[in-house]
Amino acid sequence: MLDKREIGKRITFFRKERGMTQRELADLLHISYQAVSKWESGKSLPTVDMLYEISGLLDVTVDALLNENQWQNRGISYRESGLDVQKLYTLKREIEKLQTNDRNILSANFADACLFEIDTSQMKDPVYSCILCVPGSKEKLAKEYRYNREICADTAANAMNYILQHGMRPVLLKAMVLCGNYNQEQLYLMAQTFRQICDQNQVSFSGMEIAAQPVNYTPEEYTVSAMVVGVQDRDKLLTCDRLRKGDVLIGIKTEGIEGTSYPFVKIMLDRKPELYHAKIDGNVFFLDELMRANTAYTREIMALQEAGYLHMAFRNGHALLNRKTGDGGDSSISDLRAGHTLLNRKFWMEIPDGIGACIDLSAVPVLPLYRFLYEQDMIGEKVFPCHFSMGIGMIVAVPEKYRKEAMDIIRQFSECWCIGRIEADDGHKGEKFWSRGKISWPGA
């Protein structure tokens, strides 16, 4: 005699393994979902004809539904973890087609190591670099509000800029997404974004691997990373000993905010939830501006280097100044904290003795996003640039005599401003970085 409860349990198991709801199975069988519910709860049995229809829809044999021995010998499948392997590998093959058709990429199969060559035939002494970059706290807001393309572009740009600040040319990018059973259309768009940023910066795209882990991630969760490889001739590497007294500091505009500034923004959003739907100047949504991707400066840096104008490049972190420099007057950062300022600790330590970088705060632009943040009146005027980059993503040092030419080159690609210079450390003996003047806040 057939055991209704056991058969109901098997129908439930195979239905869930196929990712079907009771209503979806009922619709395919042209019956009510209450009938399916009764089978699965062991209150009734399907007819013989219906069993054959069910087995076809669930892609199992009738024996698998009725035979106890076959049920006991069943295995565990990926479907039970929530992963559709067939759909995943179909997507991976489509993403593989986005890879750069580059003879230097020898192999970039999504499930294997990337094999590649770099043409260094014109270099005397090539030096190589690589970095793995993740978006940081900004990723949380991106996932919640589906700024998926923006966070991928942001991650790619940041990875490239870490290499560019050494004067190195980024040549190859490999992306990775860890996720649950995430929306496949969105994953493809994320891969497309990585390819677009690579194309804009003349970087080979070696693909985006997807590690689907529904046992570790919910369907809406993911983590993005990007690895970038770079190369440059040793004598073209940017080091602080190239800096000279009188060099001008040019700030280059970036979009959005650095991921490490997100915690401050999150607190502001928690205090004023209405900001989630606010507009800047009644026109652009605040969240859209906030989540814009940072800019990759490959074209700017390489063009300046080719012209022979570039003495140094500083990737700006999440803040323009350290807390101690934010007092609005002539001040120093003898208590510099690594990674929180214009100059990270490594570069700060390497600036030659007798000179330092002076930022003229009155020359720093107040862009609409930062004016809006300032107007929320949660972060004081003096410390605001200690928490935000003010929209400056990279600062380059060039000789004064080439200032106009250098700015003309940069302006082919990005907005820029002259915001300071390298000066003798008179009055700041032994210090490497100080500021003068005040930011011209509207209405302040």
Side-chain angles (χ1 to χ4, degrees), residues 106-146:
L106 307 180
S107 175
N109 185 278
F110 54 78
D112 199 1
C114 176
L115 308 181
F116 60 95
E117 295 178 334
I118 300 177
D119 182 5
T120 58
S121 58
Q122 304 302 311
M123 297 182 184
K124 297 177 183 177
D125 186 10
V127 176
Y128 303 88
S129 64
C130 114
I131 187 167
L132 179 67
C133 195
V134 296
S137 303
K138 193 173 179 179
E139 188 178 52
K140 183 177 185 296
L141 199 63
K143 287 183 285 193
E144 188 175 352
Y145 287 90
R146 289 291 183 96

mmCIF file of all heavy atoms in Angstrom, residues 106-146:
data_model
loop_
_atom_site.group_PDB
_atom_site.id
_atom_site.type_symbol
_atom_site.label_atom_id
_atom_site.label_comp_id
_atom_site.label_asym_id
_atom_site.label_seq_id
_atom_site.Cartn_x
_atom_site.Cartn_y
_atom_site.Cartn_z
ATOM 1 N N LEU A 106 46.729 34.818 -22.762
ATOM 2 C CA LEU A 106 46.909 33.469 -23.299
ATOM 3 C C LEU A 106 45.773 32.543 -22.886
ATOM 4 O O LEU A 106 45.353 31.690 -23.653
ATOM 5 C CB LEU A 106 48.247 32.897 -22.825
ATOM 6 C CG LEU A 106 49.483 33.774 -23.093
ATOM 7 C CD1 LEU A 106 50.737 33.099 -22.568
ATOM 8 C CD2 LEU A 106 49.619 34.076 -24.584
ATOM 9 N N SER A 107 45.295 32.713 -21.669
ATOM 10 C CA SER A 107 44.184 31.899 -21.178
ATOM 11 C C SER A 107 43.527 32.630 -20.016
ATOM 12 O O SER A 107 44.220 33.096 -19.109
ATOM 13 C CB SER A 107 44.676 30.525 -20.713
ATOM 14 O OG SER A 107 43.612 29.786 -20.139
ATOM 15 N N ALA A 108 42.199 32.726 -20.069
ATOM 16 C CA ALA A 108 41.481 33.414 -18.979
ATOM 17 C C ALA A 108 40.168 32.695 -18.701
ATOM 18 O O ALA A 108 39.132 33.313 -18.518
ATOM 19 C CB ALA A 108 41.229 34.871 -19.331
ATOM 20 N N ASN A 109 40.228 31.378 -18.683
ATOM 21 C CA ASN A 109 39.031 30.599 -18.366
ATOM 22 C C ASN A 109 38.555 30.953 -16.964
ATOM 23 O O ASN A 109 39.365 31.092 -16.039
ATOM 24 C CB ASN A 109 39.345 29.110 -18.452
ATOM 25 C CG ASN A 109 38.106 28.252 -18.261
ATOM 26 O OD1 ASN A 109 37.697 28.009 -17.134
ATOM 27 N ND2 ASN A 109 37.529 27.814 -19.352
ATOM 28 N N PHE A 110 37.242 31.095 -16.815
ATOM 29 C CA PHE A 110 36.705 31.569 -15.535
ATOM 30 C C PHE A 110 37.061 30.651 -14.374
ATOM 31 O O PHE A 110 37.103 31.081 -13.228
ATOM 32 C CB PHE A 110 35.181 31.747 -15.625
ATOM 33 C CG PHE A 110 34.425 30.532 -16.092
ATOM 34 C CD1 PHE A 110 34.171 29.479 -15.235
ATOM 35 C CD2 PHE A 110 33.949 30.439 -17.393
ATOM 36 C CE1 PHE A 110 33.475 28.366 -15.647
ATOM 37 C CE2 PHE A 110 33.245 29.341 -17.828
ATOM 38 C CZ PHE A 110 33.004 28.279 -16.962
ATOM 39 N N ALA A 111 37.318 29.384 -14.647
ATOM 40 C CA ALA A 111 37.575 28.434 -13.560
ATOM 41 C C ALA A 111 39.058 28.148 -13.368
ATOM 42 O O ALA A 111 39.425 27.212 -12.670
ATOM 43 C CB ALA A 111 36.829 27.128 -13.841
ATOM 44 N N ASP A 112 39.926 28.949 -13.998
ATOM 45 C CA ASP A 112 41.351 28.656 -13.957
ATOM 46 C C ASP A 112 42.144 29.940 -13.737
ATOM 47 O O ASP A 112 41.593 31.038 -13.742
ATOM 48 C CB ASP A 112 41.757 28.004 -15.289
ATOM 49 C CG ASP A 112 43.081 27.259 -15.195
ATOM 50 O OD1 ASP A 112 43.670 27.230 -14.094
ATOM 51 O OD2 ASP A 112 43.518 26.716 -16.219
ATOM 52 N N ALA A 113 43.456 29.780 -13.575
ATOM 53 C CA ALA A 113 44.337 30.939 -13.454
ATOM 54 C C ALA A 113 44.385 31.694 -14.784
ATOM 55 O O ALA A 113 44.211 31.109 -15.859
ATOM 56 C CB ALA A 113 45.739 30.480 -13.073
ATOM 57 N N CYS A 114 44.606 33.001 -14.706
ATOM 58 C CA CYS A 114 44.756 33.816 -15.906
ATOM 59 C C CYS A 114 46.226 33.786 -16.333
ATOM 60 O O CYS A 114 47.111 34.095 -15.539
ATOM 61 C CB CYS A 114 44.316 35.255 -15.622
ATOM 62 S SG CYS A 114 44.569 36.368 -17.015
ATOM 63 N N LEU A 115 46.472 33.385 -17.580
ATOM 64 C CA LEU A 115 47.820 33.370 -18.129
ATOM 65 C C LEU A 115 47.947 34.528 -19.111
ATOM 66 O O LEU A 115 47.129 34.673 -20.015
ATOM 67 C CB LEU A 115 48.098 32.051 -18.846
ATOM 68 C CG LEU A 115 47.819 30.762 -18.051
ATOM 69 C CD1 LEU A 115 48.175 29.543 -18.881
ATOM 70 C CD2 LEU A 115 48.589 30.743 -16.743
ATOM 71 N N PHE A 116 48.976 35.350 -18.950
ATOM 72 C CA PHE A 116 49.091 36.520 -19.816
ATOM 73 C C PHE A 116 50.551 36.919 -19.996
ATOM 74 O O PHE A 116 51.423 36.538 -19.205
ATOM 75 C CB PHE A 116 48.294 37.701 -19.243
ATOM 76 C CG PHE A 116 48.749 38.146 -17.881
ATOM 77 C CD1 PHE A 116 49.662 39.185 -17.735
ATOM 78 C CD2 PHE A 116 48.253 37.541 -16.732
ATOM 79 C CE1 PHE A 116 50.089 39.589 -16.471
ATOM 80 C CE2 PHE A 116 48.674 37.942 -15.467
ATOM 81 C CZ PHE A 116 49.594 38.978 -15.340
ATOM 82 N N GLU A 117 50.806 37.676 -21.047
ATOM 83 C CA GLU A 117 52.110 38.263 -21.303
ATOM 84 C C GLU A 117 51.985 39.781 -21.224
ATOM 85 O O GLU A 117 50.902 40.328 -21.421
ATOM 86 C CB GLU A 117 52.610 37.891 -22.700
ATOM 87 C CG GLU A 117 52.887 36.413 -22.896
ATOM 88 C CD GLU A 117 53.337 36.110 -24.310
ATOM 89 O OE1 GLU A 117 52.983 36.882 -25.226
ATOM 90 O OE2 GLU A 117 54.026 35.099 -24.488
ATOM 91 N N ILE A 118 53.075 40.470 -20.922
ATOM 92 C CA ILE A 118 53.120 41.931 -20.961
ATOM 93 C C ILE A 118 54.277 42.326 -21.859
ATOM 94 O O ILE A 118 55.410 41.854 -21.671
ATOM 95 C CB ILE A 118 53.310 42.530 -19.550
ATOM 96 C CG1 ILE A 118 52.155 42.135 -18.632
ATOM 97 C CG2 ILE A 118 53.404 44.051 -19.631
ATOM 98 C CD1 ILE A 118 52.305 42.630 -17.201
ATOM 99 N N ASP A 119 53.987 43.171 -22.824
ATOM 100 C CA ASP A 119 55.027 43.615 -23.747
ATOM 101 C C ASP A 119 55.908 44.658 -23.064
ATOM 102 O O ASP A 119 55.501 45.792 -22.833
ATOM 103 C CB ASP A 119 54.388 44.201 -25.008
ATOM 104 C CG ASP A 119 55.444 44.636 -26.039
ATOM 105 O OD1 ASP A 119 56.640 44.387 -25.795
ATOM 106 O OD2 ASP A 119 55.055 45.227 -27.059
ATOM 107 N N THR A 120 57.109 44.280 -22.717
ATOM 108 C CA THR A 120 58.060 45.200 -22.080
ATOM 109 C C THR A 120 59.287 45.400 -22.976
ATOM 110 O O THR A 120 60.357 45.782 -22.480
ATOM 111 C CB THR A 120 58.497 44.654 -20.704
ATOM 112 O OG1 THR A 120 59.091 43.351 -20.889
ATOM 113 C CG2 THR A 120 57.318 44.534 -19.762
ATOM 114 N N SER A 121 59.113 45.147 -24.272
ATOM 115 C CA SER A 121 60.258 45.210 -25.191
ATOM 116 C C SER A 121 60.870 46.608 -25.276
ATOM 117 O O SER A 121 62.048 46.753 -25.606
ATOM 118 C CB SER A 121 59.837 44.738 -26.583
ATOM 119 O OG SER A 121 58.767 45.539 -27.084
ATOM 120 N N GLN A 122 60.058 47.655 -24.977
ATOM 121 C CA GLN A 122 60.573 49.029 -25.038
ATOM 122 C C GLN A 122 61.085 49.515 -23.687
ATOM 123 O O GLN A 122 61.459 50.683 -23.549
ATOM 124 C CB GLN A 122 59.467 49.969 -25.537
ATOM 125 C CG GLN A 122 58.873 49.586 -26.885
ATOM 126 C CD GLN A 122 59.926 49.519 -27.975
ATOM 127 O OE1 GLN A 122 60.726 50.436 -28.130
ATOM 128 N NE2 GLN A 122 59.938 48.423 -28.736
ATOM 129 N N MET A 123 61.092 48.628 -22.681
ATOM 130 C CA MET A 123 61.549 49.021 -21.342
ATOM 131 C C MET A 123 62.935 48.468 -21.063
ATOM 132 O O MET A 123 63.265 47.346 -21.464
ATOM 133 C CB MET A 123 60.558 48.519 -20.284
ATOM 134 C CG MET A 123 59.173 49.103 -20.403
ATOM 135 S SD MET A 123 58.073 48.512 -19.074
ATOM 136 C CE MET A 123 56.523 49.270 -19.575
ATOM 137 N N LYS A 124 63.729 49.245 -20.355
ATOM 138 C CA LYS A 124 65.071 48.800 -19.992
ATOM 139 C C LYS A 124 65.037 47.877 -18.785
ATOM 140 O O LYS A 124 65.735 46.868 -18.728
ATOM 141 C CB LYS A 124 65.952 50.020 -19.677
ATOM 142 C CG LYS A 124 66.174 50.961 -20.855
ATOM 143 C CD LYS A 124 66.996 52.168 -20.412
ATOM 144 C CE LYS A 124 67.178 53.167 -21.555
ATOM 145 N NZ LYS A 124 67.922 54.372 -21.100
ATOM 146 N N ASP A 125 64.229 48.247 -17.789
ATOM 147 C CA ASP A 125 64.219 47.509 -16.518
ATOM 148 C C ASP A 125 62.789 47.499 -15.973
ATOM 149 O O ASP A 125 62.456 48.270 -15.075
ATOM 150 C CB ASP A 125 65.177 48.194 -15.532
ATOM 151 C CG ASP A 125 65.332 47.417 -14.237
ATOM 152 O OD1 ASP A 125 64.852 46.269 -14.165
ATOM 153 O OD2 ASP A 125 65.936 47.971 -13.290
ATOM 154 N N PRO A 126 61.920 46.648 -16.512
ATOM 155 C CA PRO A 126 60.509 46.685 -16.115
ATOM 156 C C PRO A 126 60.291 46.251 -14.660
ATOM 157 O O PRO A 126 60.934 45.327 -14.171
ATOM 158 C CB PRO A 126 59.846 45.701 -17.079
ATOM 159 C CG PRO A 126 60.937 44.808 -17.547
ATOM 160 C CD PRO A 126 62.175 45.637 -17.558
ATOM 161 N N VAL A 127 59.369 46.967 -14.016
ATOM 162 C CA VAL A 127 58.934 46.645 -12.657
ATOM 163 C C VAL A 127 57.442 46.345 -12.719
ATOM 164 O O VAL A 127 56.698 47.033 -13.420
ATOM 165 C CB VAL A 127 59.208 47.821 -11.695
ATOM 166 C CG1 VAL A 127 58.652 47.517 -10.310
ATOM 167 C CG2 VAL A 127 60.695 48.116 -11.628
ATOM 168 N N TYR A 128 57.006 45.338 -11.990
ATOM 169 C CA TYR A 128 55.607 44.908 -12.047
ATOM 170 C C TYR A 128 54.912 45.183 -10.708
ATOM 171 O O TYR A 128 55.547 45.224 -9.655
ATOM 172 C CB TYR A 128 55.521 43.415 -12.363
ATOM 173 C CG TYR A 128 56.209 43.038 -13.653
ATOM 174 C CD1 TYR A 128 57.564 42.716 -13.661
ATOM 175 C CD2 TYR A 128 55.518 43.025 -14.855
ATOM 176 C CE1 TYR A 128 58.213 42.389 -14.837
ATOM 177 C CE2 TYR A 128 56.156 42.689 -16.040
ATOM 178 C CZ TYR A 128 57.498 42.377 -16.027
ATOM 179 O OH TYR A 128 58.142 42.052 -17.200
ATOM 180 N N SER A 129 53.615 45.364 -10.784
ATOM 181 C CA SER A 129 52.834 45.578 -9.552
ATOM 182 C C SER A 129 51.500 44.874 -9.688
ATOM 183 O O SER A 129 51.027 44.604 -10.788
ATOM 184 C CB SER A 129 52.608 47.073 -9.305
ATOM 185 O OG SER A 129 51.813 47.624 -10.337
ATOM 186 N N CYS A 130 50.889 44.597 -8.551
ATOM 187 C CA CYS A 130 49.538 44.061 -8.565
ATOM 188 C C CYS A 130 48.861 44.423 -7.256
ATOM 189 O O CYS A 130 49.513 44.592 -6.229
ATOM 190 C CB CYS A 130 49.591 42.573 -8.821
ATOM 191 S SG CYS A 130 49.085 41.480 -7.583
ATOM 192 N N ILE A 131 47.556 44.614 -7.335
ATOM 193 C CA ILE A 131 46.778 44.960 -6.138
ATOM 194 C C ILE A 131 45.396 44.338 -6.231
ATOM 195 O O ILE A 131 44.826 44.230 -7.320
ATOM 196 C CB ILE A 131 46.656 46.490 -5.959
ATOM 197 C CG1 ILE A 131 45.982 46.816 -4.617
ATOM 198 C CG2 ILE A 131 45.892 47.130 -7.116
ATOM 199 C CD1 ILE A 131 46.081 48.267 -4.203
ATOM 200 N N LEU A 132 44.895 43.897 -5.088
ATOM 201 C CA LEU A 132 43.524 43.401 -4.983
ATOM 202 C C LEU A 132 42.727 44.443 -4.223
ATOM 203 O O LEU A 132 43.102 44.813 -3.108
ATOM 204 C CB LEU A 132 43.484 42.063 -4.243
ATOM 205 C CG LEU A 132 42.101 41.441 -4.055
ATOM 206 C CD1 LEU A 132 41.513 41.017 -5.397
ATOM 207 C CD2 LEU A 132 42.172 40.248 -3.114
ATOM 208 N N CYS A 133 41.653 44.944 -4.823
ATOM 209 C CA CYS A 133 40.902 46.054 -4.233
ATOM 210 C C CYS A 133 39.455 45.647 -3.990
ATOM 211 O O CYS A 133 38.834 44.970 -4.825
ATOM 212 C CB CYS A 133 40.957 47.253 -5.179
ATOM 213 S SG CYS A 133 40.440 48.805 -4.418
ATOM 214 N N VAL A 134 38.916 46.027 -2.839
ATOM 215 C CA VAL A 134 37.500 45.818 -2.507
ATOM 216 C C VAL A 134 36.869 47.183 -2.229
ATOM 217 O O VAL A 134 37.568 48.136 -1.877
ATOM 218 C CB VAL A 134 37.328 44.891 -1.284
ATOM 219 C CG1 VAL A 134 37.851 43.506 -1.584
ATOM 220 C CG2 VAL A 134 38.031 45.464 -0.055
ATOM 221 N N PRO A 135 35.549 47.315 -2.390
ATOM 222 C CA PRO A 135 34.931 48.642 -2.298
ATOM 223 C C PRO A 135 34.770 49.201 -0.897
ATOM 224 O O PRO A 135 34.517 50.386 -0.735
ATOM 225 C CB PRO A 135 33.569 48.439 -2.959
ATOM 226 C CG PRO A 135 33.298 46.988 -2.859
ATOM 227 C CD PRO A 135 34.620 46.289 -2.860
ATOM 228 N N GLY A 136 34.871 48.381 0.145
ATOM 229 C CA GLY A 136 34.689 48.902 1.496
ATOM 230 C C GLY A 136 33.225 49.127 1.841
ATOM 231 O O GLY A 136 32.312 48.551 1.246
ATOM 232 N N SER A 137 32.996 50.015 2.798
ATOM 233 C CA SER A 137 31.654 50.213 3.357
ATOM 234 C C SER A 137 30.635 50.699 2.341
ATOM 235 O O SER A 137 29.433 50.503 2.505
ATOM 236 C CB SER A 137 31.711 51.203 4.524
ATOM 237 O OG SER A 137 32.593 50.755 5.514
ATOM 238 N N LYS A 138 31.089 51.347 1.288
ATOM 239 C CA LYS A 138 30.187 51.880 0.266
ATOM 240 C C LYS A 138 29.368 50.765 -0.399
ATOM 241 O O LYS A 138 28.287 50.990 -0.928
ATOM 242 C CB LYS A 138 31.016 52.611 -0.782
ATOM 243 C CG LYS A 138 30.262 53.482 -1.761
ATOM 244 C CD LYS A 138 31.255 54.260 -2.617
ATOM 245 C CE LYS A 138 30.564 55.149 -3.647
ATOM 246 N NZ LYS A 138 31.536 55.908 -4.449
ATOM 247 N N GLU A 139 29.901 49.547 -0.348
ATOM 248 C CA GLU A 139 29.254 48.404 -0.997
ATOM 249 C C GLU A 139 27.888 48.095 -0.383
ATOM 250 O O GLU A 139 26.970 47.649 -1.076
ATOM 251 C CB GLU A 139 30.165 47.183 -0.879
ATOM 252 C CG GLU A 139 29.704 45.979 -1.671
ATOM 253 C CD GLU A 139 30.676 44.836 -1.541
ATOM 254 O OE1 GLU A 139 31.021 44.458 -0.386
ATOM 255 O OE2 GLU A 139 31.104 44.307 -2.569
ATOM 256 N N LYS A 140 27.735 48.338 0.902
ATOM 257 C CA LYS A 140 26.473 48.022 1.578
ATOM 258 C C LYS A 140 25.316 48.819 0.979
ATOM 259 O O LYS A 140 24.245 48.283 0.696
ATOM 260 C CB LYS A 140 26.584 48.300 3.078
ATOM 261 C CG LYS A 140 25.333 47.933 3.878
ATOM 262 C CD LYS A 140 25.555 48.169 5.364
ATOM 263 C CE LYS A 140 24.362 47.689 6.181
ATOM 264 N NZ LYS A 140 23.134 48.461 5.885
ATOM 265 N N LEU A 141 25.545 50.120 0.793
ATOM 266 C CA LEU A 141 24.508 50.967 0.206
ATOM 267 C C LEU A 141 24.263 50.580 -1.251
ATOM 268 O O LEU A 141 23.124 50.601 -1.728
ATOM 269 C CB LEU A 141 24.916 52.435 0.302
ATOM 270 C CG LEU A 141 23.802 53.475 0.165
ATOM 271 C CD1 LEU A 141 22.792 53.346 1.289
ATOM 272 C CD2 LEU A 141 24.385 54.878 0.164
ATOM 273 N N ALA A 142 25.324 50.195 -1.950
ATOM 274 C CA ALA A 142 25.195 49.783 -3.345
ATOM 275 C C ALA A 142 24.294 48.561 -3.472
ATOM 276 O O ALA A 142 23.424 48.503 -4.348
ATOM 277 C CB ALA A 142 26.570 49.482 -3.932
ATOM 278 N N LYS A 143 24.466 47.587 -2.586
ATOM 279 C CA LYS A 143 23.641 46.372 -2.628
ATOM 280 C C LYS A 143 22.190 46.682 -2.287
ATOM 281 O O LYS A 143 21.273 46.173 -2.923
ATOM 282 C CB LYS A 143 24.188 45.334 -1.644
ATOM 283 C CG LYS A 143 25.481 44.681 -2.114
ATOM 284 C CD LYS A 143 25.955 43.613 -1.169
ATOM 285 C CE LYS A 143 26.567 44.176 0.082
ATOM 286 N NZ LYS A 143 27.292 43.176 0.878
ATOM 287 N N GLU A 144 22.019 47.521 -1.284
ATOM 288 C CA GLU A 144 20.666 47.812 -0.814
ATOM 289 C C GLU A 144 19.842 48.547 -1.851
ATOM 290 O O GLU A 144 18.641 48.300 -2.009
ATOM 291 C CB GLU A 144 20.744 48.630 0.479
ATOM 292 C CG GLU A 144 19.406 48.824 1.175
ATOM 293 C CD GLU A 144 19.555 49.525 2.516
ATOM 294 O OE1 GLU A 144 20.705 49.727 2.978
ATOM 295 O OE2 GLU A 144 18.509 49.872 3.110
ATOM 296 N N TYR A 145 20.473 49.459 -2.601
ATOM 297 C CA TYR A 145 19.732 50.282 -3.555
ATOM 298 C C TYR A 145 20.098 49.980 -5.013
ATOM 299 O O TYR A 145 19.786 50.744 -5.910
ATOM 300 C CB TYR A 145 19.955 51.770 -3.245
ATOM 301 C CG TYR A 145 19.217 52.202 -2.005
ATOM 302 C CD1 TYR A 145 19.823 52.122 -0.757
ATOM 303 C CD2 TYR A 145 17.900 52.645 -2.068
ATOM 304 C CE1 TYR A 145 19.141 52.490 0.399
ATOM 305 C CE2 TYR A 145 17.212 53.016 -0.926
ATOM 306 C CZ TYR A 145 17.832 52.932 0.303
ATOM 307 O OH TYR A 145 17.156 53.291 1.448
ATOM 308 N N ARG A 146 20.748 48.843 -5.235
ATOM 309 C CA ARG A 146 21.051 48.346 -6.581
ATOM 310 C C ARG A 146 21.944 49.293 -7.396
ATOM 311 O O ARG A 146 21.738 49.460 -8.591
ATOM 312 C CB ARG A 146 19.767 48.043 -7.354
ATOM 313 C CG ARG A 146 19.002 46.814 -6.865
ATOM 314 C CD ARG A 146 19.785 45.535 -7.185
ATOM 315 N NE ARG A 146 19.039 44.341 -6.787
ATOM 316 C CZ ARG A 146 18.279 43.625 -7.600
ATOM 317 N NH1 ARG A 146 18.143 43.998 -8.856
ATOM 318 N NH2 ARG A 146 17.662 42.551 -7.170
#
